[in-house]
Amino acid sequence: MVDWNLAVATATRLVRPGPDVTRDEARAVVAELRRHAKASEEHVRGFTRMGGEETHDTPVLVVDRPGWIRANVAGFREILKPLLDKMQQRRSQSPGGALFGAVGGKVTGVELGMLLSFLASRVLGQYETFAPSTRELPAGENGGGRLLLVAPNIVHVERELDVQPHDFRLWVCLHEETHRTQFSAVPWLRDHLEGEIQSFLAETDVDPMTLLERVRDAAQSLVGGRPEGEREDGGHSLVELVQTPAQREILGRLTAVMSLLEGHADYVMDGVGPDVVPTVAEIREKFQQRRQKGASRLDMALRKLLGLDAKLRQYRDGERFVRAVVEEVGMDGFNKVWTSPNTLPTKTEISKPADWVARVHRRPEA
């Protein structure tokens, strides 16, 4: 169904080279990112009051752009395996399915590689929740993930923003370490997310003609103007437009969780920042401006198509939720969000934090 090796080869061939650095400069950046990642553990734990003194099971890997591509392809293979096996079985039972599958796998591999080459130059860091462990890319035991820091992208952005490199690198590590702490301190979170994702994939209509029709409809919507009744504030991404009603329900829950995780990480990095990152205010202002504007018209179009504009809203809406809840009930009160899947905010509660507080912090009637 997907030629994964071709996806890696395509992405690594097309990805843009990183910024010009000498070998010694590159070594210094890698060493500093590792030190910052280690220091961030204590900062994040102290601020969030999450986790204990135990050592993290998940490794920190400082990678280049091809390394990020290989890691993400491995993650895609792992999480998409049940869906692709299902599609492969159906295709093998249809006339000409084997030939169509071989050709389709090449095409899909190239398309995935092209998308990954676009993303590989933009991601600063990533906590890989479902990463399989390999010799080249180790992961935590017992299903633990790994934390990736993409060194050339961090250097590129710090130069583009003209900010203090030491401060910016620590600031990025604080965000990513928060994600690492979320999953290490909340053992059920990984399984919950995996269950939601697999439910989403199980609802996928694997009939090729039906899927083709939905993709065609999506393309027409994107190039032909907004359908009647569509939101004025940005519309839908291609991913959203090919979903079933059941998938949209699941996506609503996943969106709420991802908004929580991303907003929490932004809140923590800014909360810890003033004590350990002297230029945090300047970094935040410049970084927010960069997030919002996009590099070019093509960049903005691709962000729209891939749903990356929705991710930017997750940062903003999630951070507002966390800030409002902490102001209302304190950090310990906010941390009740990690009690169980039932205490996670709904998509509606993300935009109405008082509703979450009322539901989770009910006081007994007098």
Side-chain angles (χ1 to χ4, degrees):
M1 297 298 301
V2 180
D3 188 328
W4 298 107
N5 292 332
L6 183 57
V8 172
T10 301
T12 53
R13 185 176 68 252
L14 295 178
V15 70
R16 293 180 295 178
D20 290 331
V21 294
T22 67
R23 188 179 298 272
D24 288 343
E25 287 173 332
R27 289 185 180 133
V29 171
V30 170
E32 184 173 17
L33 287 173
R34 286 175 176 158
R35 291 196 303 273
H36 285 332
K38 181 64 178 176
S40 294
E41 290 185 34
E42 182 177 351
H43 296 316
V44 170
R45 288 179 180 182
F47 184 81
T48 64
R49 303 176 193 172
M50 297 174 66
E53 296 301 322
E54 72 280 358
T55 301
H56 275 303
D57 180 43
T58 54
V60 176
L61 306 180
V62 182
V63 298
D64 57 10
R65 290 169 178 175
W68 180 89
I69 289 167
R70 289 191 294 272
N72 275 265
V73 167
F76 283 143
R77 293 185 73 163
E78 185 78 8
I79 199 68
L80 294 177
K81 188 176 186 302
L83 171 64
L84 295 180
D85 287 349
K86 182 180 177 182
M87 295 181 70
Q88 183 69 30
Q89 182 179 9
R90 174 173 291 195
R91 181 168 287 178
S92 65
Q93 295 170 354
S94 62
L99 177 60
F100 183 71
V103 175
K106 298 291 185 185
V107 173
T108 307
V110 170
E111 291 173 341
L112 178 60
M114 293 172 66
L115 294 179
L116 287 172
S117 71
F118 168 76
L119 295 171
S121 61
R122 286 157 173 78
V123 176
L124 301 182
Q126 175 184 355
Y127 182 81
E128 281 202 296
T129 314
F130 309 108
S133 182
T134 66
R135 179 179 299 179
E136 182 185 22
L137 295 165
E141 298 177 1
N142 302 319
R146 57 182 167 234
L147 181 60
L148 304 179
L149 296 170
V150 191
N153 295 349
I154 293 173
V155 172
H156 171 80
V157 174
E158 70 190 27
R159 290 179 178 178
E160 179 184 311
L161 298 182
D162 190 24
V163 293
Q164 212 285 332
H166 172 86
D167 287 2
F168 184 74
R169 295 167 193 176
L170 177 55
W171 189 71
V172 170
C173 287
L174 289 170
H175 181 101
E176 302 308 331
E177 177 58 37
T178 303
H179 288 317
R180 191 162 169 245
T181 298
Q182 289 163 349
F183 284 92
S184 62
V186 186
W188 54 264
L189 184 57
R190 179 190 183 277
D191 290 340
H192 172 70
L193 271 181
E194 183 175 19
E196 291 280 54
I197 292 170
Q198 292 304 333
S199 295
F200 180 90
L201 296 176
E203 288 291 335
T204 300
D205 192 335
V206 295
D207 177 68
M209 290 307 298
T210 301
L211 186 60
L212 182 61
E213 290 173 2
R214 288 186 182 154
V215 171
R216 186 181 301 121
D217 290 343
Q220 290 173 352
S221 297
L222 288 169
V223 302
R226 282 195 302 270
E228 184 178 355
E230 188 177 329
R231 301 191 310 264
E232 290 288 330
D233 60 345
H236 298 287
S237 70
L238 178 60
V239 174
E240 291 175 299
L241 286 168
V242 298
Q243 289 164 2
T244 66
Q247 284 178 309
R248 290 192 184 101
E249 291 185 13
I250 298 169
L251 183 73
R253 297 195 297 268
L254 281 170
T255 298
V257 175
M258 297 312 296
S259 296
L260 170 69
L261 299 180
E262 296 294 356
H264 184 231
D266 263 15
Y267 178 79
V268 171
M269 72 195 298
D270 287 344
V272 174
D275 292 331
V276 297
V277 182
T279 60
V280 64
E282 177 191 358
I283 290 173
R284 163 57 74 187
E285 180 180 359
K286 290 183 175 181
F287 194 75
Q288 281 295 98
Q289 292 173 355
R290 183 182 184 275
R291 268 183 180 173
Q292 293 169 358
K293 68 181 182 180
S296 66
R297 181 171 295 182
L298 175 61
D299 185 76
M300 294 178 68
L302 286 170
R303 278 169 44 176
K304 170 70 179 176
L305 186 66
L306 298 172
L308 299 183
D309 53 345
K311 187 173 179 64
L312 297 182
R313 290 194 296 273
Q314 288 175 7
Y315 285 109
R316 182 190 64 222
D317 297 344
E319 196 273 341
R320 288 175 180 170
F321 170 84
V322 175
R323 184 174 301 279
V325 171
V326 172
E327 288 176 356
E328 179 70 20
V329 296
M331 185 62 74
D332 291 335
F334 165 79
N335 281 340
K336 287 185 178 294
V337 78
W338 312 117
T339 303
S340 75
N342 293 329
T343 56
L344 291 172
T346 65
K347 189 176 180 180
T348 299
E349 288 171 342
I350 285 289
S351 58
K352 297 181 178 179
D355 290 357
W356 181 87
V357 172
R359 176 171 66 86
V360 175
H361 289 269
R362 289 193 185 102
R363 293 179 175 83
E365 295 183 5

